[in-house]
Amino acid sequence: MSEAGTVFDIQKFSLHDGPGIRTTVFLKGCQMRCVWCHNPESLRAEKQLAFLEHKCLQCQRCAEVCPHGCHQFAQGRHEIDYAACQACGRCVEACPAQALKIYGQTRKVTEILEEVIKDKPYFDKTGGGITLSGGEAMFQFPFALALAKSAKSAGLHVCLETN
């Protein structure tokens, strides 16, 4: 079983991902390419850079710190070579406008469970628990299984959203 996986979000106080109040853990990776996908940032299994163009100040700090030369500025436009990007996050840290973000973090089962268990009083009162979602949670089957087993061992109700 895998004790670490790639997570792109942990959403607290979810009301539509199973019974009661839940904490939903969104895992990266999906084999489907549904046109109605609600979480397109979850499709790729690996970490990836996201760019919010409307926030960009054109300060070029990202280009100064990027070791892979992914950021180019020409004719008032900020272009990113996503194929060259290694999602190291240096540009994200350097961006004063928060126009850049990394989707996906490598997280251990114990780290996630430690965060989710804080919501146990809500789960106990409402019949809630943890929901594994994505992307496709089963895309990272060993990790999803380890997380579900650990959650059950901690007395949490577990739901799985799958395609």
Side-chain angles (χ1 to χ4, degrees):
M1 278 196 291
S2 178
E3 293 297 319
T6 307
V7 174
F8 83 86
D9 195 16
I10 298 177
Q11 182 179 15
K12 297 180 172 277
F13 210 83
S14 295
L15 301 174
H16 305 290
D17 295 323
I21 296 172
R22 311 194 67 76
T23 298
T24 303
V25 180
F26 293 91
L27 306 182
K28 287 211 23 101
C30 185
Q31 73 280 17
M32 308 283 281
R33 293 298 181 263
C34 305
V35 294
W36 58 83
C37 181
H38 289 263
N39 302 317
E41 63 276 17
S42 70
L43 295 177
R44 291 179 42 201
E46 63 276 354
K47 298 175 189 177
Q48 66 190 97
L49 181 66
F51 174 50
L52 304 170
E53 188 173 8
H54 68 280
K55 287 187 168 187
C56 183
L57 302 174
Q58 301 280 319
C59 69
Q60 301 187 24
R61 290 184 189 167
C62 54
E64 294 168 8
V65 300
C66 179
H68 305 288
C70 299
H71 302 272
Q72 302 295 321
F73 291 83
Q75 300 172 346
R77 297 218 11 109
H78 179 176
E79 299 292 332
I80 300 173
D81 180 357
Y82 290 101
C85 181
Q86 301 295 306
C88 68
R90 291 184 187 154
C91 60
V92 174
E93 293 170 10
C95 180
Q98 297 179 324
L100 298 163
K101 179 179 181 176
I102 298 292
Y103 284 128
Q105 296 177 321
T106 302
R107 303 283 301 267
K108 293 181 180 176
V109 167
T110 53
E111 291 175 306
I112 294 170
L113 200 55
E114 188 176 294
E115 186 173 338
V116 172
I117 205 78
K118 293 175 186 174
D119 297 333
K120 193 167 185 328
Y122 300 107
F123 305 155
D124 292 344
K125 287 200 184 280
T126 66
I130 183 174
T131 298
L132 305 182
S133 190
E136 168 52 58
M138 292 291 95
F139 196 84
Q140 296 185 60
F141 178 75
F143 176 63
L145 180 62
L147 183 54
K149 284 184 172 185
S150 293
K152 287 299 272 183
S153 293
L156 300 180
H157 180 271
V158 177
C159 280
L160 172 68
E161 290 183 332
T162 181
N163 54 30

PDB file of all heavy atoms in Angstrom, residues 37-72:
ATOM      1  N   CYS A  37     -16.382  17.837 -16.766  1.00  0.00           N
ATOM      2  CA  CYS A  37     -15.570  17.647 -15.562  1.00  0.00           C
ATOM      3  C   CYS A  37     -15.604  18.884 -14.673  1.00  0.00           C
ATOM      4  O   CYS A  37     -15.354  20.002 -15.125  1.00  0.00           O
ATOM      5  CB  CYS A  37     -14.126  17.330 -15.945  1.00  0.00           C
ATOM      6  SG  CYS A  37     -13.067  17.056 -14.514  1.00  0.00           S
ATOM      7  N   HIS A  38     -15.883  18.677 -13.406  1.00  0.00           N
ATOM      8  CA  HIS A  38     -15.934  19.767 -12.438  1.00  0.00           C
ATOM      9  C   HIS A  38     -14.556  20.113 -11.888  1.00  0.00           C
ATOM     10  O   HIS A  38     -14.384  21.172 -11.289  1.00  0.00           O
ATOM     11  CB  HIS A  38     -16.858  19.395 -11.274  1.00  0.00           C
ATOM     12  CG  HIS A  38     -18.294  19.363 -11.652  1.00  0.00           C
ATOM     13  ND1 HIS A  38     -19.130  20.423 -11.427  1.00  0.00           N
ATOM     14  CD2 HIS A  38     -19.032  18.424 -12.262  1.00  0.00           C
ATOM     15  CE1 HIS A  38     -20.337  20.127 -11.866  1.00  0.00           C
ATOM     16  NE2 HIS A  38     -20.298  18.905 -12.387  1.00  0.00           N
ATOM     17  N   ASN A  39     -13.598  19.223 -12.059  1.00  0.00           N
ATOM     18  CA  ASN A  39     -12.261  19.428 -11.503  1.00  0.00           C
ATOM     19  C   ASN A  39     -11.182  19.164 -12.555  1.00  0.00           C
ATOM     20  O   ASN A  39     -10.382  18.247 -12.401  1.00  0.00           O
ATOM     21  CB  ASN A  39     -12.042  18.500 -10.297  1.00  0.00           C
ATOM     22  CG  ASN A  39     -13.056  18.709  -9.214  1.00  0.00           C
ATOM     23  OD1 ASN A  39     -13.394  19.837  -8.876  1.00  0.00           O
ATOM     24  ND2 ASN A  39     -13.562  17.621  -8.655  1.00  0.00           N
ATOM     25  N   PRO A  40     -11.137  19.969 -13.612  1.00  0.00           N
ATOM     26  CA  PRO A  40     -10.145  19.689 -14.665  1.00  0.00           C
ATOM     27  C   PRO A  40      -8.700  19.785 -14.177  1.00  0.00           C
ATOM     28  O   PRO A  40      -7.813  19.172 -14.769  1.00  0.00           O
ATOM     29  CB  PRO A  40     -10.454  20.742 -15.733  1.00  0.00           C
ATOM     30  CG  PRO A  40     -11.213  21.810 -15.030  1.00  0.00           C
ATOM     31  CD  PRO A  40     -11.948  21.140 -13.912  1.00  0.00           C
ATOM     32  N   GLU A  41      -8.469  20.506 -13.104  1.00  0.00           N
ATOM     33  CA  GLU A  41      -7.119  20.594 -12.543  1.00  0.00           C
ATOM     34  C   GLU A  41      -6.676  19.268 -11.930  1.00  0.00           C
ATOM     35  O   GLU A  41      -5.520  19.092 -11.579  1.00  0.00           O
ATOM     36  CB  GLU A  41      -7.024  21.727 -11.508  1.00  0.00           C
ATOM     37  CG  GLU A  41      -7.899  21.555 -10.293  1.00  0.00           C
ATOM     38  CD  GLU A  41      -9.336  22.024 -10.445  1.00  0.00           C
ATOM     39  OE1 GLU A  41      -9.832  22.219 -11.578  1.00  0.00           O
ATOM     40  OE2 GLU A  41      -9.994  22.184  -9.421  1.00  0.00           O
ATOM     41  N   SER A  42      -7.601  18.326 -11.834  1.00  0.00           N
ATOM     42  CA  SER A  42      -7.271  17.029 -11.257  1.00  0.00           C
ATOM     43  C   SER A  42      -6.949  15.965 -12.299  1.00  0.00           C
ATOM     44  O   SER A  42      -6.568  14.858 -11.952  1.00  0.00           O
ATOM     45  CB  SER A  42      -8.449  16.532 -10.408  1.00  0.00           C
ATOM     46  OG  SER A  42      -9.534  16.183 -11.247  1.00  0.00           O
ATOM     47  N   LEU A  43      -7.093  16.269 -13.568  1.00  0.00           N
ATOM     48  CA  LEU A  43      -6.959  15.247 -14.608  1.00  0.00           C
ATOM     49  C   LEU A  43      -5.559  14.646 -14.675  1.00  0.00           C
ATOM     50  O   LEU A  43      -5.405  13.430 -14.719  1.00  0.00           O
ATOM     51  CB  LEU A  43      -7.359  15.812 -15.967  1.00  0.00           C
ATOM     52  CG  LEU A  43      -8.833  16.206 -16.092  1.00  0.00           C
ATOM     53  CD1 LEU A  43      -9.095  16.831 -17.461  1.00  0.00           C
ATOM     54  CD2 LEU A  43      -9.742  15.027 -15.847  1.00  0.00           C
ATOM     55  N   ARG A  44      -4.557  15.485 -14.702  1.00  0.00           N
ATOM     56  CA  ARG A  44      -3.175  14.986 -14.757  1.00  0.00           C
ATOM     57  C   ARG A  44      -2.763  14.479 -13.385  1.00  0.00           C
ATOM     58  O   ARG A  44      -3.054  15.095 -12.365  1.00  0.00           O
ATOM     59  CB  ARG A  44      -2.225  16.087 -15.219  1.00  0.00           C
ATOM     60  CG  ARG A  44      -2.454  16.446 -16.672  1.00  0.00           C
ATOM     61  CD  ARG A  44      -1.577  17.549 -17.201  1.00  0.00           C
ATOM     62  NE  ARG A  44      -0.200  17.455 -16.779  1.00  0.00           N
ATOM     63  CZ  ARG A  44       0.644  18.486 -16.774  1.00  0.00           C
ATOM     64  NH1 ARG A  44       0.240  19.680 -17.180  1.00  0.00           N
ATOM     65  NH2 ARG A  44       1.877  18.335 -16.387  1.00  0.00           N
ATOM     66  N   ALA A  45      -2.078  13.351 -13.342  1.00  0.00           N
ATOM     67  CA  ALA A  45      -1.692  12.742 -12.068  1.00  0.00           C
ATOM     68  C   ALA A  45      -0.570  13.509 -11.371  1.00  0.00           C
ATOM     69  O   ALA A  45      -0.476  13.506 -10.148  1.00  0.00           O
ATOM     70  CB  ALA A  45      -1.263  11.294 -12.295  1.00  0.00           C
ATOM     71  N   GLU A  46       0.250  14.184 -12.154  1.00  0.00           N
ATOM     72  CA  GLU A  46       1.406  14.861 -11.563  1.00  0.00           C
ATOM     73  C   GLU A  46       1.052  16.304 -11.170  1.00  0.00           C
ATOM     74  O   GLU A  46       0.050  16.852 -11.598  1.00  0.00           O
ATOM     75  CB  GLU A  46       2.596  14.855 -12.529  1.00  0.00           C
ATOM     76  CG  GLU A  46       2.367  15.613 -13.811  1.00  0.00           C
ATOM     77  CD  GLU A  46       1.646  14.823 -14.890  1.00  0.00           C
ATOM     78  OE1 GLU A  46       1.388  13.624 -14.719  1.00  0.00           O
ATOM     79  OE2 GLU A  46       1.329  15.435 -15.925  1.00  0.00           O
ATOM     80  N   LYS A  47       1.919  16.877 -10.373  1.00  0.00           N
ATOM     81  CA  LYS A  47       1.776  18.285 -10.001  1.00  0.00           C
ATOM     82  C   LYS A  47       1.826  19.124 -11.271  1.00  0.00           C
ATOM     83  O   LYS A  47       2.507  18.754 -12.232  1.00  0.00           O
ATOM     84  CB  LYS A  47       2.909  18.719  -9.076  1.00  0.00           C
ATOM     85  CG  LYS A  47       2.954  17.989  -7.772  1.00  0.00           C
ATOM     86  CD  LYS A  47       4.182  18.415  -7.000  1.00  0.00           C
ATOM     87  CE  LYS A  47       4.395  17.557  -5.783  1.00  0.00           C
ATOM     88  NZ  LYS A  47       5.610  17.921  -5.064  1.00  0.00           N
ATOM     89  N   GLN A  48       1.112  20.258 -11.253  1.00  0.00           N
ATOM     90  CA  GLN A  48       1.136  21.110 -12.442  1.00  0.00           C
ATOM     91  C   GLN A  48       0.968  22.572 -12.055  1.00  0.00           C
ATOM     92  O   GLN A  48       0.347  22.896 -11.050  1.00  0.00           O
ATOM     93  CB  GLN A  48       0.061  20.682 -13.431  1.00  0.00           C
ATOM     94  CG  GLN A  48      -1.347  20.883 -12.934  1.00  0.00           C
ATOM     95  CD  GLN A  48      -2.378  20.235 -13.825  1.00  0.00           C
ATOM     96  OE1 GLN A  48      -2.798  19.127 -13.530  1.00  0.00           O
ATOM     97  NE2 GLN A  48      -2.791  20.909 -14.874  1.00  0.00           N
ATOM     98  N   LEU A  49       1.534  23.423 -12.887  1.00  0.00           N
ATOM     99  CA  LEU A  49       1.458  24.860 -12.693  1.00  0.00           C
ATOM    100  C   LEU A  49       0.161  25.404 -13.269  1.00  0.00           C
ATOM    101  O   LEU A  49      -0.245  25.032 -14.360  1.00  0.00           O
ATOM    102  CB  LEU A  49       2.647  25.544 -13.376  1.00  0.00           C
ATOM    103  CG  LEU A  49       2.728  27.065 -13.257  1.00  0.00           C
ATOM    104  CD1 LEU A  49       2.956  27.490 -11.806  1.00  0.00           C
ATOM    105  CD2 LEU A  49       3.829  27.603 -14.158  1.00  0.00           C
ATOM    106  N   ALA A  50      -0.480  26.281 -12.501  1.00  0.00           N
ATOM    107  CA  ALA A  50      -1.681  26.980 -12.985  1.00  0.00           C
ATOM    108  C   ALA A  50      -1.366  28.471 -13.020  1.00  0.00           C
ATOM    109  O   ALA A  50      -0.639  28.988 -12.170  1.00  0.00           O
ATOM    110  CB  ALA A  50      -2.856  26.711 -12.060  1.00  0.00           C
ATOM    111  N   PHE A  51      -1.935  29.161 -14.001  1.00  0.00           N
ATOM    112  CA  PHE A  51      -1.679  30.587 -14.197  1.00  0.00           C
ATOM    113  C   PHE A  51      -3.000  31.335 -14.279  1.00  0.00           C
ATOM    114  O   PHE A  51      -3.854  31.011 -15.110  1.00  0.00           O
ATOM    115  CB  PHE A  51      -0.866  30.786 -15.479  1.00  0.00           C
ATOM    116  CG  PHE A  51      -0.647  32.217 -15.869  1.00  0.00           C
ATOM    117  CD1 PHE A  51      -0.174  33.149 -14.965  1.00  0.00           C
ATOM    118  CD2 PHE A  51      -0.905  32.636 -17.161  1.00  0.00           C
ATOM    119  CE1 PHE A  51       0.032  34.469 -15.341  1.00  0.00           C
ATOM    120  CE2 PHE A  51      -0.701  33.942 -17.554  1.00  0.00           C
ATOM    121  CZ  PHE A  51      -0.226  34.867 -16.638  1.00  0.00           C
ATOM    122  N   LEU A  52      -3.174  32.323 -13.417  1.00  0.00           N
ATOM    123  CA  LEU A  52      -4.355  33.186 -13.420  1.00  0.00           C
ATOM    124  C   LEU A  52      -3.951  34.506 -14.054  1.00  0.00           C
ATOM    125  O   LEU A  52      -3.491  35.434 -13.381  1.00  0.00           O
ATOM    126  CB  LEU A  52      -4.867  33.383 -11.984  1.00  0.00           C
ATOM    127  CG  LEU A  52      -5.177  32.093 -11.229  1.00  0.00           C
ATOM    128  CD1 LEU A  52      -5.438  32.370  -9.772  1.00  0.00           C
ATOM    129  CD2 LEU A  52      -6.352  31.391 -11.869  1.00  0.00           C
ATOM    130  N   GLU A  53      -4.122  34.578 -15.361  1.00  0.00           N
ATOM    131  CA  GLU A  53      -3.627  35.705 -16.153  1.00  0.00           C
ATOM    132  C   GLU A  53      -4.148  37.048 -15.666  1.00  0.00           C
ATOM    133  O   GLU A  53      -3.417  38.041 -15.657  1.00  0.00           O
ATOM    134  CB  GLU A  53      -3.990  35.503 -17.622  1.00  0.00           C
ATOM    135  CG  GLU A  53      -3.361  36.520 -18.543  1.00  0.00           C
ATOM    136  CD  GLU A  53      -3.603  36.202 -20.006  1.00  0.00           C
ATOM    137  OE1 GLU A  53      -4.381  35.292 -20.318  1.00  0.00           O
ATOM    138  OE2 GLU A  53      -2.979  36.873 -20.842  1.00  0.00           O
ATOM    139  N   HIS A  54      -5.385  37.102 -15.233  1.00  0.00           N
ATOM    140  CA  HIS A  54      -5.979  38.369 -14.805  1.00  0.00           C
ATOM    141  C   HIS A  54      -5.315  38.944 -13.549  1.00  0.00           C
ATOM    142  O   HIS A  54      -5.439  40.128 -13.267  1.00  0.00           O
ATOM    143  CB  HIS A  54      -7.493  38.216 -14.578  1.00  0.00           C
ATOM    144  CG  HIS A  54      -7.851  37.359 -13.411  1.00  0.00           C
ATOM    145  ND1 HIS A  54      -7.837  35.976 -13.474  1.00  0.00           N
ATOM    146  CD2 HIS A  54      -8.225  37.679 -12.158  1.00  0.00           C
ATOM    147  CE1 HIS A  54      -8.196  35.495 -12.302  1.00  0.00           C
ATOM    148  NE2 HIS A  54      -8.431  36.495 -11.489  1.00  0.00           N
ATOM    149  N   LYS A  55      -4.558  38.123 -12.828  1.00  0.00           N
ATOM    150  CA  LYS A  55      -3.865  38.597 -11.632  1.00  0.00           C
ATOM    151  C   LYS A  55      -2.422  39.042 -11.919  1.00  0.00           C
ATOM    152  O   LYS A  55      -1.801  39.700 -11.096  1.00  0.00           O
ATOM    153  CB  LYS A  55      -3.835  37.504 -10.562  1.00  0.00           C
ATOM    154  CG  LYS A  55      -5.152  37.247  -9.896  1.00  0.00           C
ATOM    155  CD  LYS A  55      -4.954  36.264  -8.749  1.00  0.00           C
ATOM    156  CE  LYS A  55      -6.174  36.189  -7.870  1.00  0.00           C
ATOM    157  NZ  LYS A  55      -5.895  35.367  -6.674  1.00  0.00           N
ATOM    158  N   CYS A  56      -1.899  38.662 -13.063  1.00  0.00           N
ATOM    159  CA  CYS A  56      -0.490  38.890 -13.387  1.00  0.00           C
ATOM    160  C   CYS A  56      -0.176  40.386 -13.485  1.00  0.00           C
ATOM    161  O   CYS A  56      -0.860  41.128 -14.187  1.00  0.00           O
ATOM    162  CB  CYS A  56      -0.135  38.187 -14.694  1.00  0.00           C
ATOM    163  SG  CYS A  56       1.610  38.336 -15.127  1.00  0.00           S
ATOM    164  N   LEU A  57       0.891  40.810 -12.796  1.00  0.00           N
ATOM    165  CA  LEU A  57       1.339  42.206 -12.799  1.00  0.00           C
ATOM    166  C   LEU A  57       2.425  42.471 -13.841  1.00  0.00           C
ATOM    167  O   LEU A  57       2.896  43.595 -13.951  1.00  0.00           O
ATOM    168  CB  LEU A  57       1.891  42.576 -11.416  1.00  0.00           C
ATOM    169  CG  LEU A  57       0.938  42.411 -10.232  1.00  0.00           C
ATOM    170  CD1 LEU A  57       1.679  42.680  -8.921  1.00  0.00           C
ATOM    171  CD2 LEU A  57      -0.259  43.326 -10.394  1.00  0.00           C
ATOM    172  N   GLN A  58       2.843  41.424 -14.558  1.00  0.00           N
ATOM    173  CA  GLN A  58       3.917  41.539 -15.548  1.00  0.00           C
ATOM    174  C   GLN A  58       5.243  41.970 -14.900  1.00  0.00           C
ATOM    175  O   GLN A  58       6.078  42.606 -15.537  1.00  0.00           O
ATOM    176  CB  GLN A  58       3.535  42.536 -16.654  1.00  0.00           C
ATOM    177  CG  GLN A  58       2.276  42.191 -17.418  1.00  0.00           C
ATOM    178  CD  GLN A  58       2.528  41.144 -18.482  1.00  0.00           C
ATOM    179  OE1 GLN A  58       3.532  41.176 -19.179  1.00  0.00           O
ATOM    180  NE2 GLN A  58       1.608  40.216 -18.596  1.00  0.00           N
ATOM    181  N   CYS A  59       5.429  41.646 -13.625  1.00  0.00           N
ATOM    182  CA  CYS A  59       6.646  42.045 -12.915  1.00  0.00           C
ATOM    183  C   CYS A  59       7.864  41.218 -13.326  1.00  0.00           C
ATOM    184  O   CYS A  59       8.995  41.613 -13.067  1.00  0.00           O
ATOM    185  CB  CYS A  59       6.432  41.963 -11.407  1.00  0.00           C
ATOM    186  SG  CYS A  59       6.251  40.283 -10.758  1.00  0.00           S
ATOM    187  N   GLN A  60       7.644  40.052 -13.887  1.00  0.00           N
ATOM    188  CA  GLN A  60       8.668  39.148 -14.399  1.00  0.00           C
ATOM    189  C   GLN A  60       9.524  38.488 -13.319  1.00  0.00           C
ATOM    190  O   GLN A  60      10.560  37.898 -13.610  1.00  0.00           O
ATOM    191  CB  GLN A  60       9.542  39.843 -15.449  1.00  0.00           C
ATOM    192  CG  GLN A  60       8.734  40.338 -16.622  1.00  0.00           C
ATOM    193  CD  GLN A  60       9.574  40.881 -17.739  1.00  0.00           C
ATOM    194  OE1 GLN A  60      10.740  40.532 -17.899  1.00  0.00           O
ATOM    195  NE2 GLN A  60       8.966  41.734 -18.558  1.00  0.00           N
ATOM    196  N   ARG A  61       9.082  38.553 -12.070  1.00  0.00           N
ATOM    197  CA  ARG A  61       9.833  37.886 -10.998  1.00  0.00           C
ATOM    198  C   ARG A  61       9.864  36.378 -11.206  1.00  0.00           C
ATOM    199  O   ARG A  61      10.838  35.716 -10.875  1.00  0.00           O
ATOM    200  CB  ARG A  61       9.242  38.235  -9.636  1.00  0.00           C
ATOM    201  CG  ARG A  61       9.485  39.663  -9.249  1.00  0.00           C
ATOM    202  CD  ARG A  61       8.969  39.960  -7.863  1.00  0.00           C
ATOM    203  NE  ARG A  61       9.045  41.399  -7.620  1.00  0.00           N
ATOM    204  CZ  ARG A  61       8.455  42.005  -6.623  1.00  0.00           C
ATOM    205  NH1 ARG A  61       7.748  41.301  -5.746  1.00  0.00           N
ATOM    206  NH2 ARG A  61       8.574  43.305  -6.476  1.00  0.00           N
ATOM    207  N   CYS A  62       8.780  35.840 -11.753  1.00  0.00           N
ATOM    208  CA  CYS A  62       8.718  34.396 -12.015  1.00  0.00           C
ATOM    209  C   CYS A  62       9.824  33.986 -12.985  1.00  0.00           C
ATOM    210  O   CYS A  62      10.484  32.954 -12.799  1.00  0.00           O
ATOM    211  CB  CYS A  62       7.345  34.004 -12.541  1.00  0.00           C
ATOM    212  SG  CYS A  62       6.803  34.949 -13.974  1.00  0.00           S
ATOM    213  N   ALA A  63      10.019  34.769 -14.024  1.00  0.00           N
ATOM    214  CA  ALA A  63      11.044  34.459 -15.026  1.00  0.00           C
ATOM    215  C   ALA A  63      12.447  34.524 -14.426  1.00  0.00           C
ATOM    216  O   ALA A  63      13.326  33.750 -14.807  1.00  0.00           O
ATOM    217  CB  ALA A  63      10.927  35.414 -16.206  1.00  0.00           C
ATOM    218  N   GLU A  64      12.637  35.435 -13.488  1.00  0.00           N
ATOM    219  CA  GLU A  64      13.948  35.589 -12.842  1.00  0.00           C
ATOM    220  C   GLU A  64      14.338  34.376 -12.020  1.00  0.00           C
ATOM    221  O   GLU A  64      15.515  34.043 -11.926  1.00  0.00           O
ATOM    222  CB  GLU A  64      13.948  36.842 -11.963  1.00  0.00           C
ATOM    223  CG  GLU A  64      13.817  38.140 -12.724  1.00  0.00           C
ATOM    224  CD  GLU A  64      13.536  39.334 -11.815  1.00  0.00           C
ATOM    225  OE1 GLU A  64      13.580  39.191 -10.571  1.00  0.00           O
ATOM    226  OE2 GLU A  64      13.252  40.423 -12.361  1.00  0.00           O
ATOM    227  N   VAL A  65      13.348  33.705 -11.406  1.00  0.00           N
ATOM    228  CA  VAL A  65      13.670  32.601 -10.503  1.00  0.00           C
ATOM    229  C   VAL A  65      13.472  31.216 -11.105  1.00  0.00           C
ATOM    230  O   VAL A  65      13.930  30.228 -10.548  1.00  0.00           O
ATOM    231  CB  VAL A  65      12.864  32.692  -9.190  1.00  0.00           C
ATOM    232  CG1 VAL A  65      13.167  33.989  -8.448  1.00  0.00           C
ATOM    233  CG2 VAL A  65      11.378  32.537  -9.441  1.00  0.00           C
ATOM    234  N   CYS A  66      12.822  31.126 -12.250  1.00  0.00           N
ATOM    235  CA  CYS A  66      12.510  29.820 -12.847  1.00  0.00           C
ATOM    236  C   CYS A  66      13.776  29.164 -13.402  1.00  0.00           C
ATOM    237  O   CYS A  66      14.393  29.690 -14.328  1.00  0.00           O
ATOM    238  CB  CYS A  66      11.464  29.956 -13.951  1.00  0.00           C
ATOM    239  SG  CYS A  66      11.065  28.372 -14.733  1.00  0.00           S
ATOM    240  N   PRO A  67      14.170  28.004 -12.871  1.00  0.00           N
ATOM    241  CA  PRO A  67      15.387  27.349 -13.352  1.00  0.00           C
ATOM    242  C   PRO A  67      15.211  26.653 -14.706  1.00  0.00           C
ATOM    243  O   PRO A  67      16.187  26.202 -15.302  1.00  0.00           O
ATOM    244  CB  PRO A  67      15.685  26.317 -12.260  1.00  0.00           C
ATOM    245  CG  PRO A  67      14.364  26.008 -11.652  1.00  0.00           C
ATOM    246  CD  PRO A  67      13.558  27.283 -11.746  1.00  0.00           C
ATOM    247  N   HIS A  68      13.976  26.582 -15.201  1.00  0.00           N
ATOM    248  CA  HIS A  68      13.716  25.857 -16.450  1.00  0.00           C
ATOM    249  C   HIS A  68      13.329  26.777 -17.605  1.00  0.00           C
ATOM    250  O   HIS A  68      13.005  26.301 -18.689  1.00  0.00           O
ATOM    251  CB  HIS A  68      12.615  24.822 -16.222  1.00  0.00           C
ATOM    252  CG  HIS A  68      12.935  23.897 -15.090  1.00  0.00           C
ATOM    253  ND1 HIS A  68      13.893  22.912 -15.163  1.00  0.00           N
ATOM    254  CD2 HIS A  68      12.453  23.843 -13.825  1.00  0.00           C
ATOM    255  CE1 HIS A  68      13.979  22.287 -14.014  1.00  0.00           C
ATOM    256  NE2 HIS A  68      13.120  22.833 -13.184  1.00  0.00           N
ATOM    257  N   GLY A  69      13.336  28.098 -17.370  1.00  0.00           N
ATOM    258  CA  GLY A  69      13.038  29.056 -18.429  1.00  0.00           C
ATOM    259  C   GLY A  69      11.617  28.965 -18.961  1.00  0.00           C
ATOM    260  O   GLY A  69      11.379  29.192 -20.149  1.00  0.00           O
ATOM    261  N   CYS A  70      10.667  28.651 -18.097  1.00  0.00           N
ATOM    262  CA  CYS A  70       9.277  28.440 -18.522  1.00  0.00           C
ATOM    263  C   CYS A  70       8.515  29.734 -18.797  1.00  0.00           C
ATOM    264  O   CYS A  70       7.538  29.720 -19.541  1.00  0.00           O
ATOM    265  CB  CYS A  70       8.515  27.661 -17.454  1.00  0.00           C
ATOM    266  SG  CYS A  70       9.223  26.041 -17.149  1.00  0.00           S
ATOM    267  N   HIS A  71       8.938  30.817 -18.192  1.00  0.00           N
ATOM    268  CA  HIS A  71       8.190  32.079 -18.277  1.00  0.00           C
ATOM    269  C   HIS A  71       8.840  33.026 -19.273  1.00  0.00           C
ATOM    270  O   HIS A  71      10.020  33.345 -19.162  1.00  0.00           O
ATOM    271  CB  HIS A  71       8.114  32.740 -16.894  1.00  0.00           C
ATOM    272  CG  HIS A  71       7.466  31.870 -15.872  1.00  0.00           C
ATOM    273  ND1 HIS A  71       6.111  31.851 -15.663  1.00  0.00           N
ATOM    274  CD2 HIS A  71       7.997  30.970 -15.000  1.00  0.00           C
ATOM    275  CE1 HIS A  71       5.819  30.989 -14.710  1.00  0.00           C
ATOM    276  NE2 HIS A  71       6.942  30.434 -14.286  1.00  0.00           N
ATOM    277  N   GLN A  72       8.061  33.468 -20.252  1.00  0.00           N
ATOM    278  CA  GLN A  72       8.524  34.416 -21.260  1.00  0.00           C
ATOM    279  C   GLN A  72       7.561  35.599 -21.297  1.00  0.00           C
ATOM    280  O   GLN A  72       6.350  35.423 -21.152  1.00  0.00           O
ATOM    281  CB  GLN A  72       8.569  33.759 -22.639  1.00  0.00           C
ATOM    282  CG  GLN A  72       9.447  32.525 -22.717  1.00  0.00           C
ATOM    283  CD  GLN A  72      10.907  32.830 -22.487  1.00  0.00           C
ATOM    284  OE1 GLN A  72      11.423  33.851 -22.938  1.00  0.00           O
ATOM    285  NE2 GLN A  72      11.594  31.947 -21.775  1.00  0.00           N
TER     286      GLN A  72
END
